[in-house]
Amino acid sequence: MNSMTSPASCTPHSTAATIPCAWLLILALLAISAGSARADSEISDNFDLSLPGRSEGGLLNRLPIANGNATWSAYGNVVLGQGGVLTVRSTGGTRAQVPLRVQSGTVTLFVSLRPGSEKKSKSWIGAGFLNKGSSNLWNDATPSDGGQIWTQIAADGTVTVFEGTRVVNRSIMLGSIAAGMVPVVIQCNLDDGTFAVSINGVEFAKGALSQIPVINWARIEMDNPSPLQTQADDFRILMTR
């Protein structure tokens, strides 16, 4: 691995919390499983170009997140794309992230990912929870610094869930991915060290992590992305206790 390494009435940028249709069932199930838990905090961004300081081709770095108290930290090739998405203007390993301070309870990441149109290439896009903001999600030297639980979607249709550098589950999902956005949900319970991941509204992996994660960042990361084609959208973090 490279070191950087539905109802028709729903719309991706609807006012209903900007949640894609494939997530509606997932949200209902999460609400049931949460029982009496309440949402303590939430941040989200659908990369709306109508917000102040935003324009097509504009840098994401240092922009305040659309909803909530956080600021984007991103490499210089990460930009806002046509129609309101996160994308890149050049290839090469890159990233965008927001700080989190999660020490207990449950944290859930919702995001839609599009790996790009180049099938059978080494291009991928990933998202998940990270310990150190200076680390890559994949960190050979110190896995505990990198991705705590994260998902990688490759342009050839391979989906992989990792804990650090350990493969939790891997499958080729060419038919599911096609060339469109793929809704991803990653949920992690810091109290008991369990997790659940869904891809396109289907449960893909769940179980117990080998150790309680340390979550200080939520990250979108790309390796060899296709400029303007590799994209992310509808980013949302929900923290409950």
Side-chain angles (χ1 to χ4, degrees):
M1 174 172 295
N2 191 293
S3 61
M4 258 304 295
T5 54
S6 131
S9 61
C10 294
T11 59
H13 298 295
S14 68
T15 58
T18 66
I19 302 170
C21 301
W23 291 349
L24 297 179
L25 176 59
I26 297 167
L27 282 174
L29 293 173
L30 291 177
I32 293 170
S33 65
S36 60
R38 63 185 178 85
D40 286 335
S41 57
E42 179 178 339
I43 59 174
S44 64
D45 206 326
N46 68 354
F47 309 105
D48 188 348
L49 297 178
S50 68
L51 294 177
R54 299 189 174 199
S55 61
E56 184 178 338
L59 296 179
L60 183 68
N61 189 42
R62 297 185 179 180
L63 286 180
I65 202 163
N67 299 292
N69 184 22
T71 299
W72 283 104
S73 174
Y75 280 8
N77 62 338
V78 180
V79 297
L80 298 170
Q82 184 178 16
V85 294
L86 178 155
T87 189
V88 293
R89 60 185 178 186
S90 61
T91 192
T94 193
R95 62 179 69 158
Q97 59 190 16
V98 290
L100 298 175
R101 293 294 181 267
V102 186
Q103 296 181 336
S104 63
T106 299
V107 59
T108 307
L109 166 63
F110 304 84
V111 67
S112 289
L113 303 177
R114 181 173 187 258
S117 58
E118 298 177 9
K119 292 184 178 180
K120 298 183 179 179
S121 75
K122 295 181 179 180
S123 171
W124 60 262
I125 183 170
F129 299 117
L130 186 74
N131 179 2
K132 295 188 177 181
S134 58
S135 173
N136 298 329
L137 286 171
W138 175 274
N139 186 329
D140 271 320
T142 315
S144 61
D145 288 349
Q148 303 296 285
I149 183 72
W150 59 287
T151 298
Q152 179 194 87
I153 302 178
D156 67 357
T158 301
V159 178
T160 309
V161 173
F162 294 94
E163 179 189 5
T165 56
R166 178 178 72 90
V167 174
V168 176
N169 192 20
R170 174 175 285 156
S171 178
I172 296 177
M173 301 178 67
L174 283 171
S176 299
I177 290 175
M181 287 285 189
V182 181
V184 173
V185 181
I186 303 173
Q187 184 178 79
C188 185
N189 187 319
L190 278 78
D191 295 329
D192 62 12
T194 58
F195 73 96
V197 177
S198 71
I199 307 293
N200 258 358
V202 177
E203 185 177 272
F204 187 78
K206 70 175 183 178
L209 298 170
S210 63
Q211 60 186 13
I212 299 297
V214 180
I215 296 176
N216 292 309
W217 298 85
R219 164 80 62 80
I220 298 169
E221 188 169 315
M222 292 163 272
D223 191 48
N224 296 315
S226 304
L228 306 181
Q229 298 298 313
T230 303
Q231 300 173 350
D233 200 1
D234 297 300
F235 177 91
R236 182 178 179 233
I237 301 287
L238 178 66
M239 289 167 278
T240 61
R241 292 180 183 173

